[in-house]
Amino acid sequence: MKTNDIILQTVAKLASLVILLFSIYIFFGGHYSPGGGFVGGLLASGAIVLLLLAYDLKTVAAILPIDYKLLIAAGLLIAVLTGAGALLFDAPFMTHTFSYFDVPLLGHTALHTAVLFDLGVYLVVVGVTMTIIQTIGESE
Amino acid sequence: MFHAILQISLLCVSISMLGLVYRVIKGPSAPDRVVALDAMGINLIAIIALVSMLLNTPAYLDAILLLGILSFIGTVAFSKFLEKGEIIENDRDL
């Protein structure tokens, strides 16, 4: 029997975009308001899980051809490299710094190296969550 | 005055939560429990909004949107399990 779930699929298309935008907002707002890499990563994987619920594993793999285990490795590499980058400037491991820049669209903005570490956390959380869910979903 | 109004509405939402807990425990079928849990999520959102007004802080506003998204995804997953027996399919065209 073929079931027709076009309402769920249409809602999932729109809602997953909104959830992804919200996760990016929470990720970048983490320095001054509640949130950060962990919650943002969980929300991004929540958007992918909503697509997995509306469609199936093969379709989502065609939409997002990402190997999530590579995402974990890339996140850990970014986190370690931002920590080790402080050693180049004669500072202890994991020393972070920030400065003010004039970014074209955003104007006078404070850019902090901690956001790179947070990006590593974000990628690791997305990778671990999606690896767990995909591995459980694939087993028959 | 405003404080008293907020406390009265918190009391009302808590009473409706108790009614939903009764439905979750008693509900004869699984869909009854799923719908009651979904409504409990909405009531939790209302409680967070009222508490954030009582404490006079905007820090909980992200949690409201987060809880809405989570309760939606949870309800969709549960209803798909009830309909098809599996939550994430390998290939739906088979």
Side-chain angles (χ1 to χ4, degrees), chain A residues 45-117:
Chain A
S45 51
I48 305 174
V49 165
L50 187 60
L51 282 179
L52 277 176
L53 287 171
Y55 296 95
D56 52 285
L57 278 170
K58 270 188 182 170
T59 315
V60 176
I63 297 171
L64 293 168
I66 304 170
D67 187 359
Y68 294 106
K69 291 187 280 299
L70 280 180
L71 217 58
I72 302 174
L76 284 175
L77 187 70
I78 289 173
V80 170
L81 281 184
T82 40
L87 295 175
L88 294 178
F89 299 98
D90 229 7
F93 186 61
M94 286 283 175
T95 306
H96 286 286
T97 178
F98 74 100
S99 179
Y100 291 94
F101 293 98
D102 284 317
V103 185
L105 274 174
L106 300 171
H108 197 61
T109 321
L111 295 182
H112 203 298
T113 52
V115 79
L116 291 173
F117 186 80

Side-chain angles (χ1 to χ4, degrees), chain A residues 56-59 137-140, chain B residues 86 88-92:
Chain A
D56 52 285
L57 278 170
K58 270 188 182 170
T59 315
E138 269 171 358
S139 62
E140 289 294 317
Chain B
E86 58 179 343
I88 294 174
E89 295 157 293
N90 235 336
D91 195 349
R92 71 184 191 286

